[in-house]
Amino acid sequence: MTTRRRGGIITLAKLAVSGALLAYLVRKGSLGAVERALTHASPKWIALGFGLGVLGALVTIWQWWGVLRSLGLRRTYRRCFRLELAGDVFDAALPSSIGGDVLRAVTVAERSDERQVGVASVVLRRLCNFPGMVVLMGLGTGVTWAGGQVNRAWPAVLVALAFGLGLVVATLSPLAGWLSTRHWLDRRPLRPLARVLGTLEGFRALRGALSAAVVRGCLFWCCAVTSQWCYMRAVGVDHVPLAYAGVVVTVTNLVTMLPIAMGGYGLREGTFSALLVAAGMATVAQGVAVGACLTAQTALFGLIGLPSYLTLRSRRSPDDTRRVMLVGTESSGAKPLTAAEVA
């Protein structure tokens, strides 16, 4: 079976999973109830949620800017801001955030020898967000549990928390560097993973840069949780404590990382609904409505970023445009960055 055919089958399978999940949720919660939750949503809470979402985006740009400087690519915050907006167009137009990250990784590099560093910067930004996500998940779980609230979802939340802790250990410990030297990673399909792990180990040696990136990741998750808590309030979920909103938002984002649905659609709405319903705080329709608010936010970010993307595209050659689409599957043959090379 060819790679293209296999990719097509996987895409169709993900579409089927997303479609089935969304159909089930709409049937369970009723389309009319979802529509009512959205049409009667509070404009005040929607606006506040969107404003906090924008603030979170500005924090992630600040985080990326700092990672780039630590890797030796000194770009202005304004340029990072513009590339982030251009990437938002891909995030909105494609059913995943990978397209946006590919665009950012390629366009931030001004020379071919900077391309590997550009790819490393967007990967590191994602990885440095894991600690903040797990910290808020753990704090929210502890505070809510201490309150004695009955919740059928606690076993699933604890599994998610354990998995998240594993991701943090893999990100911050020497494990990544050790794994990058394993012989079984020399196989061609696994070489990109080996390069990412090696680059992470080099960045981990820069303790100040790593700490700054992690702290900024924590700030981003604070913005994300409060933003989506506002969306919950907007659609009528009025009794969700901010601590439990932290659990819902972080667990939902962790679940949507599973590569079983197209862009996490269906999984996101389903997890929102399951966690809120299990706590007796919302209906299925309201959970779906919260997911719809996030989808609308992503689409609006894409519209705002469209001018940046169009002006960026006009300055790029056809070869560069094709490279944006290929770099996600074909990384350069450069070796992983060592700590000395990063510095």
Side-chain angles (χ1 to χ4, degrees), residues 134-198:
V134 174
V135 165
L136 291 188
M137 190 189 302
L139 285 175
T141 300
V143 170
T144 308
W145 194 306
Q149 182 181 341
V150 177
N151 192 325
R152 299 190 307 274
W154 282 133
V157 170
L158 293 177
V159 170
L161 184 58
F163 183 71
L165 285 171
L167 291 176
V168 173
V169 169
T171 300
L172 301 182
S173 74
L175 178 63
W178 180 82
L179 286 174
S180 69
T181 62
R182 299 303 92 190
H183 295 301
W184 51 271
L185 284 177
D186 289 337
R187 299 174 183 175
R188 186 170 181 178
L190 298 177
R191 286 174 190 168
L193 175 60
R195 286 194 288 270
V196 169
L197 292 171

Side-chain angles (χ1 to χ4, degrees), residues 51-337:
L52 288 167
V54 171
L55 180 60
L58 294 175
V59 171
T60 62
I61 298 169
W62 182 33
Q63 182 191 41
W64 186 33
W65 171 80
V67 170
L68 284 167
R69 289 176 66 87
S70 300
L71 293 175
L73 290 186
R74 294 188 173 271
R75 303 291 186 260
T76 64
Y77 183 90
R78 180 180 178 182
R79 176 166 173 76
C80 293
F81 177 79
R82 187 161 171 265
L83 296 181
E84 181 72 17
L85 286 179
D88 286 341
V89 177
F90 270 67
D91 291 341
L94 299 177
S96 82
S97 61
I98 295 176
D101 278 348
V102 169
L103 181 70
R104 296 175 190 113
V106 174
T107 53
V108 78
E110 297 175 352
R111 304 189 309 269
S112 59
D113 60 326
E114 294 177 341
R115 203 166 297 135
Q116 168 111 9
V117 180
V119 172
S121 70
V122 296
V123 173
L124 285 166
R125 181 172 72 162
R126 293 282 182 181
L127 293 176
C128 289
N129 279 338
F130 285 143
M133 179 181 71
V134 174
V135 165
L136 291 188
M137 190 189 302
L139 285 175
T141 300
V143 170
T144 308
W145 194 306
Q149 182 181 341
V150 177
N151 192 325
R152 299 190 307 274
W154 282 133
V157 170
L158 293 177
V159 170
L161 184 58
F163 183 71
L165 285 171
L167 291 176
V168 173
V169 169
T171 300
L172 301 182
S173 74
L175 178 63
W178 180 82
L179 286 174
S180 69
T181 62
R182 299 303 92 190
H183 295 301
W184 51 271
L185 284 177
D186 289 337
R187 299 174 183 175
R188 186 170 181 178
L190 298 177
R191 286 174 190 168
L193 175 60
R195 286 194 288 270
V196 169
L197 292 171
T199 302
L200 175 59
E201 176 61 17
F203 185 75
R204 194 183 66 83
L206 303 173
R207 299 302 175 85
L210 179 62
S211 298
V214 169
V215 168
R216 291 165 188 170
C218 289
L219 291 176
F220 160 73
W221 278 109
C222 289
C223 293
V225 167
T226 51
S227 170
Q228 293 172 45
W229 176 71
C230 289
Y231 290 147
M232 294 177 198
R233 298 291 300 253
V235 299
V237 188
D238 298 324
H239 304 293
V240 180
L242 189 56
Y244 189 65
V247 176
V248 174
V249 172
T250 52
V251 171
T252 297
N253 276 270
L254 192 62
V255 170
T256 56
M257 294 178 190
L258 297 173
I260 60 175
M262 188 59 72
Y265 292 117
L267 278 179
R268 177 175 57 214
E269 291 78 9
T271 308
F272 267 126
S273 298
L275 293 175
L276 291 171
V277 170
M281 296 178 178
T283 64
V284 172
Q286 288 172 321
V288 174
V290 175
C293 289
L294 285 177
T295 300
Q297 175 180 288
T298 301
L300 188 52
F301 278 4
L303 289 174
I304 294 172
L306 191 58
S308 294
Y309 170 68
L310 292 176
T311 55
L312 183 71
R313 187 181 180 189
S314 66
R315 298 179 183 180
R316 298 181 62 80
S317 67
D319 287 342
D320 287 339
T321 302
R322 285 193 295 270
R323 196 176 293 122
V324 169
M325 305 309 298
L326 292 173
V327 74
T329 54
E330 283 185 57
S331 56
S332 68
K335 63 181 180 179
L337 297 177

